[in-house]
Structures are given as structure tokens and as C-alpha cells.
Amino acid sequence: MKVTILASYAPHAAKGLMQGSDRQAAVKALFESVGGKMTSVMFTRGIYDVVVNGEVPDQVAGMGISLAVRASGSLTEMVVLEELDMKAVLAAANKAASAYKPAG
């Protein structure tokens, strides 16, 4: 499953970054710890400080990454976007739409 992570560093983590913390190596190790693969890390300016793209085996692994990073306190904001199979989503939406009866 492909994921994109958007994140903003907490002040103490930004200080660690300035002091030379190798975030690319840390993120790579994080993904590998759950059987995944980091494909890119991009530092940005604006709302988010960093954008990470990678692959994880499943939602459990993705949530494990998210929970571990959030629990560290190193981020003030984190959004995890999961790639979807749009054909499967549309098939489910069409089934649901044919079964759903709106109120009124």
C-alpha cells in the first residue's frame, strides 16, 4: 500500500534537525521496521515541513508508523494519505448507492 505523509516538526525536533539529525536515514529505518519501504523524503516550506512517500504492507503497518511517530512528540501535525484502488471504491460506491434509500 502506498502512503504519503505530510508532517510539521515540533520546535525541539526542528532544533535536532538543525544539529544534524539524519531524518532520511531515520525515516528509512522506520518504514523498514514494519516491512515497508521509504521511496522519498522532501523537505518543504509552508504548512508542512516534510513530505514522505513510501510503501507499507497494510493499514496496520501504516497505523503503527503513525502511532509511533505521534507518540514521540516530534511532530505538531501529521497527515497520512493512503493510495486507494479507485475502481474498487467506485464498485463499492455503486453497490451502496443502489441499496441506500434516503430519508424523505
Side-chain angles (χ1 to χ4, degrees):
M1 177 174 90
K2 292 182 181 177
V3 295
T4 296
I5 299 171
L6 311 171
S8 298
Y9 286 111
H12 73 277
K15 184 177 181 181
L17 186 65
M18 291 174 61
Q19 293 172 346
S21 180
D22 184 351
R23 301 324 304 151
Q24 190 159 348
V27 173
K28 181 180 182 216
L30 176 67
F31 270 80
E32 289 174 353
S33 74
V34 296
K37 177 184 174 187
M38 178 202 73
T39 54
S40 69
V41 174
M42 179 174 56
F43 294 95
T44 59
R45 65 183 187 114
I47 296 173
Y48 300 105
D49 299 319
V50 63
V51 177
V52 176
N53 290 298
E55 295 181 31
V56 292
D58 51 34
Q59 287 180 321
V60 171
M63 187 61 185
I65 284 175
S66 177
L67 189 57
V69 173
R70 288 176 194 274
S72 77
S74 62
L75 302 176
T76 59
E77 185 74 29
M78 182 177 183
V79 176
V80 180
L81 305 172
E82 300 174 0
E83 182 181 54
L84 298 174
D85 175 350
M86 201 56 184
K87 284 184 181 182
V89 170
L90 291 173
N94 284 319
K95 283 183 185 179
S98 67
Y100 179 69
K101 304 297 181 220

